[in-house]
Amino acid sequence: MENHRVVNELFPASIRTIEGIQWGYINNIGQFVIPPQYEEVNVFQPNGLAIVWLNGRAGIIDQNGKFVVRPIYHSIYSFFEGLAFVFEDEKGYSVINEKGEILNDKPYPFSYIGDFREQRAVIQEFVNRTEFLYGYLDSSGNIIIPPQYIYAHDFRDGKAIVGLKDGTSAIIGLDGEILTIYPFEQMGPLSEALISFRKTVRDKAGYVNEAGKVVIPPRFSYAGPFEKGRAIVNVSEDYKNEYGFIDKTGAYILEPKYHDIQLLGGERASVAKAIDPEYPQAGTIFALADTTTGVFLTDFSYDSMNEFEGKYSSVTKGISSFFINKNGRRALNLPVIHGVGTLSLKDHLIQAFVDERYSYFNRYGHLIWAQNSILPLNSSLFIHEGKYRPTKDYLVYYPQIVGMTDKEAQSKVNQVLRETSRVKELPKNEPLYYSYSGDFNVQFYKKHLLVLELTGYEYTFGAAHGMPSKINIPIDLNTSRIYALKDLFKPDSNYVNVLSEVIRKQIQQQEDSYINEEDYKGIVENQPFYVTKEELVIYFKPYEIAAYALGFPEFKISYQDIKSVINETGAFWRSFQ
């Protein structure tokens, strides 16, 4: 049973500090009710609980800020049906209730676990190191159906579709009893008495009823579940996509010729077409359609559309976010917010997650709360957060220092920060074919040395993944000098060789190292680095000496270990020691 609580409206909110971003929760007039103290937070769930992170670990708090589950877990899943999963490193998953009590006797080392549906959760286990098999947990955290299926869907109305080892599929009951067997290798979930199927995984998809009778013959490359008598299908043979939606007889309500379709609720769907048909990965533009008739209510004019929440859907167009009604018209009684993101109506507030920041407005568009854009370093020096948003696909937050004695030097430093943050003129009236987002944080600050870290992520549309970037800039706030690595060392000290060998030894000493020593050729004179109070940190770019998944490999070098080459009378060293 779910533990019902009185749930007040509290909203995630953050402040920027020298130590980083700290999160808490505000009320509907912008006052912090739970002070900023967490590294990351989720919204409060309907049961009055929220997942938060502290010291790199996840826990759960109530609306008084009291921990119901201490922050000791690697991750915590959201609650469904009064139950949630927690995951511990090296141990696995456990089931908890809303009091934070662990229900199972010991953690399970599953490779995947789903949400609870009808007091059952799908589990995946790598069996005998040969195959992934699926089963189910019950609401007590016990394995009610051991992993034995090739695939498994969530339960609906006491029944679920699973794949059997002999290449057939079946409907099972809550305890695993087989109710019906089908001669199909792959089937979708139960949806309004129809089930999508493929005879083999290489065949086209169609639909059968629960008795196994073919209702809609196979002709689709994708066949989605039915919702209110409509299902999204795709007939494309290649990557360009030809989506439409059908009724329960298989008749097209919307012809299959669109790049994408998403059901938004309220008998509405977003329909997408490629901006550039010859390069569909470059992005899409959306229109609103009526799912009952297939009639378009708008032209293709929106860059994104979200599910309807009551009367309204949050959409974006260019670099503006706003609400539309079910006729596809802008809601004139609600504001337009500058930036790209999603808006949600929360009683009298509008919660905006726009341009990668939370902010809150009243229904007239007046700002109630936003993260601070000025970060004090001391009583006279500040970092101002600048924002550059020239297009919907390009966003940069960049630092600007205010309060330095030498204003001309300050201007030069700020220009370097803008340029290094990639604040630049973009081609006008031309698609970018990539997106870029950049941000910054204070990596280190002591005495009059400020080390800023500028981060970025560029994604070329259609690529397997994007490419992250990281640049650290050490600035002497007294002299405006930006230090290089060589400035930390004595002239003619051959610091490159010294550091290279220290790092080589660290690689050799690492157990289960993912860095191939043969790929490591040493550092270069302008090697990326940053300093802390006790250590010099050298890092490498993705792919440089290790796989992409390892990100930026770092090597921490104690100053004591390289004391012989450090220039302890130099300006760089004296700026923070």
Side-chain angles (χ1 to χ4, degrees):
M1 295 290 294
E2 295 197 25
N3 185 16
H4 295 287
R5 294 179 172 86
V6 176
V7 179
N8 303 310
E9 284 289 341
L10 295 181
F11 309 100
S14 61
I15 61 170
R16 185 188 284 274
T17 72
I18 294 176
E19 288 75 30
I21 305 296
Q22 294 183 344
W23 288 85
Y25 294 88
I26 58 172
N27 59 19
N28 60 6
I29 58 173
Q31 297 173 329
F32 273 104
V33 175
I34 300 177
Q37 57 193 290
Y38 308 110
E39 295 152 8
E40 190 177 345
V41 299
N42 282 359
V43 298
F44 273 95
Q45 298 173 52
N47 59 9
L49 301 176
I51 302 168
V52 300
W53 282 260
L54 198 60
N55 299 320
R57 293 285 153 175
I60 298 175
I61 61 169
D62 62 20
Q63 293 198 311
N64 295 315
K66 180 181 177 182
F67 275 107
V68 176
V69 175
R70 292 185 299 112
I72 60 174
Y73 295 103
H74 178 273
S75 58
I76 300 178
Y77 288 40
S78 296
F79 282 93
F80 283 85
E81 300 182 350
L83 302 169
F85 292 100
V86 296
F87 179 75
E88 293 182 85
D89 295 324
E90 309 299 329
K91 293 183 179 180
Y93 293 93
S94 295
V95 182
I96 62 169
N97 60 23
E98 291 178 336
K99 295 179 180 179
E101 297 167 335
I102 294 177
L103 304 183
N104 49 303
D105 294 331
K106 61 180 180 180
Y108 294 113
F110 300 133
S111 48
Y112 165 81
I113 199 160
D115 298 320
F116 275 101
R117 305 290 183 183
E118 300 189 5
Q119 304 297 289
R120 296 290 184 270
V122 175
I123 55 176
Q124 180 195 68
E125 190 171 12
F126 193 43
V127 179
N128 298 325
R129 298 179 178 268
T130 59
E131 59 183 343
F132 288 103
L133 294 178
Y134 296 81
Y136 294 88
L137 287 185
D138 67 12
S139 57
S140 297
N142 299 315
I143 298 177
I144 187 69
I145 305 174
Q148 59 190 286
Y149 306 120
I150 303 302
Y151 66 85
H153 292 293
D154 288 331
F155 275 89
R156 295 187 183 186
D157 300 322
K159 295 177 285 189
I161 303 288
V162 297
L164 305 181
K165 284 187 174 183
D166 62 2
T168 63
S169 297
I171 292 181
I172 62 170
L174 287 168
D175 294 325
E177 65 274 21
I178 292 180
L179 306 177
T180 307
I181 294 179
Y182 304 98
F184 308 125
E185 191 173 346
Q186 188 177 80
M187 299 184 76
L190 286 162
S191 62
E192 299 183 356
L194 290 180
I195 314 163
S196 66
F197 77 96
R198 298 176 192 267
K199 188 169 182 58
T200 75
V201 293
R202 296 174 295 279
D203 291 323
K204 297 283 189 181
Y207 293 86
V208 296
N209 60 22
E210 286 192 38
K213 181 182 177 181
V214 176
V215 177
I216 302 173
R219 65 179 190 270
F220 310 113
S221 55
Y222 167 80
F226 275 91
E227 294 183 33
K228 294 189 175 180
R230 299 291 183 263
I232 297 171
V233 296
N234 187 1
V235 299
S236 175
E237 301 287 350
D238 56 30
Y239 63 89
K240 290 188 177 179
N241 290 332
E242 294 173 283
Y243 281 98
F245 51 79
I246 59 174
D247 64 18
K248 286 190 172 184
T249 70
Y252 285 110
I253 304 302
L254 190 67
E255 291 296 319
K257 59 181 182 180
Y258 299 100
H259 185 71
D260 192 20
I261 298 177
Q262 297 292 329
L263 298 177
L264 304 181
E267 299 178 335
R268 295 294 182 267
S270 64
V271 182
K273 68 177 183 179
I275 296 172
D276 182 350
E278 297 304 314
Y279 187 49
Q281 300 93 334
T284 52
I285 194 164
F286 295 85
L288 185 68
D290 186 322
T291 60
T292 59
T293 63
V295 172
F296 281 94
L297 303 173
T298 71
D299 59 7
F300 287 89
S301 58
Y302 298 112
D303 296 312
S304 70
M305 305 181 79
N306 294 282
E307 290 188 8
F308 275 88
E309 296 180 341
K311 298 178 180 179
Y312 302 109
S313 166
S314 167
V315 302
T316 63
K317 186 174 184 178
I319 53 176
S320 295
S321 300
F322 51 93
F323 292 99
I324 60 170
N325 59 28
K326 288 189 176 180
N327 293 322
R329 299 188 185 95
R330 185 171 78 78
L332 297 178
N333 59 321
L334 296 170
V336 176
I337 306 299
H338 182 74
V340 178
T342 57
L343 311 176
S344 297
L345 290 171
K346 304 290 185 182
D347 290 336
H348 302 295
L349 281 187
I350 295 172
Q351 182 184 64
F353 184 69
V354 168
D355 288 350
E356 302 179 7
R357 299 284 194 271
Y358 274 109
S359 54
Y360 298 89
F361 301 83
N362 66 19
R363 294 202 175 200
Y364 300 102
H366 298 139
L367 182 66
I368 301 297
W369 183 91
Q371 180 181 286
N372 56 302
S373 59
I374 299 176
L375 175 61
L377 295 173
N378 56 39
S379 59
S380 59
L381 281 167
F382 305 85
I383 300 174
H384 282 216
E385 176 187 86
K387 184 171 83 168
Y388 182 59
R389 167 64 98 175
T391 75
K392 66 182 181 65
D393 295 316
Y394 204 95
L395 171 66
V396 176
Y397 289 99
Y398 61 94
Q400 297 285 271
I401 299 173
V402 176
M404 294 176 66
T405 304
D406 188 332
K407 300 305 178 187
E408 183 178 351
Q410 175 180 286
S411 178
K412 290 180 179 179
V413 166
N414 285 335
Q415 183 61 30
V416 170
L417 293 175
R418 284 173 58 91
E419 291 174 356
T420 310
S421 299
R422 291 182 56 172
V423 176
K424 62 180 183 180
E425 194 74 24
L426 297 177
K428 293 181 179 176
N429 304 318
E430 294 181 21
L432 283 182
Y433 292 98
Y434 72 93
S435 64
Y436 181 78
S437 62
D439 210 332
F440 72 93
N441 60 72
V442 175
Q443 180 73 61
F444 179 66
Y445 175 55
K446 187 180 178 186
K447 290 181 67 177
H448 48 92
L449 181 71
L450 171 67
V451 181
L452 291 171
E453 182 173 79
L454 312 181
T455 57
Y457 188 82
E458 180 174 318
Y459 175 69
T460 300
F461 299 138
H465 57 73
M467 182 58 69
S469 60
K470 181 170 72 172
I471 300 174
N472 291 89
I473 300 183
I475 306 165
D476 191 316
L477 296 173
N478 281 354
T479 65
S480 74
R481 183 176 175 182
I482 296 176
Y483 292 113
L485 180 60
K486 65 180 181 181
D487 297 323
L488 190 61
F489 300 100
K490 298 173 182 176
D492 304 321
S493 63
N494 203 9
Y495 69 91
V496 171
N497 286 349
V498 172
L499 298 179
S500 295
E501 286 308 306
V502 171
I503 293 171
R504 187 180 303 280
K505 289 179 181 178
Q506 288 191 21
I507 293 173
Q508 292 170 344
Q509 293 168 359
Q510 288 178 356
E511 295 184 8
D512 300 324
S513 176
Y514 291 97
I515 298 173
N516 188 339
E517 189 179 347
E518 294 180 358
D519 293 334
Y520 172 68
K521 308 300 182 185
I523 72 165
V524 293
E525 183 176 336
N526 59 345
Q527 185 72 35
F529 77 101
Y530 62 89
V531 296
T532 70
K533 180 181 179 181
E534 304 291 343
E535 297 170 323
L536 167 67
V537 182
I538 299 290
Y539 62 92
F540 294 81
K541 299 176 183 177
Y543 287 128
E544 197 170 359
I545 63 170
Y548 174 85
L550 287 183
F552 298 83
E554 291 189 349
F555 297 88
K556 297 178 180 180
I557 303 171
S558 168
Y559 296 131
Q560 286 297 320
D561 292 341
I562 53 173
K563 186 175 181 179
S564 62
V565 292
I566 291 177
N567 185 2
E568 295 184 352
T569 61
F572 191 178
W573 180 257
R574 289 186 289 111
S575 69
F576 69 100
Q577 291 289 341

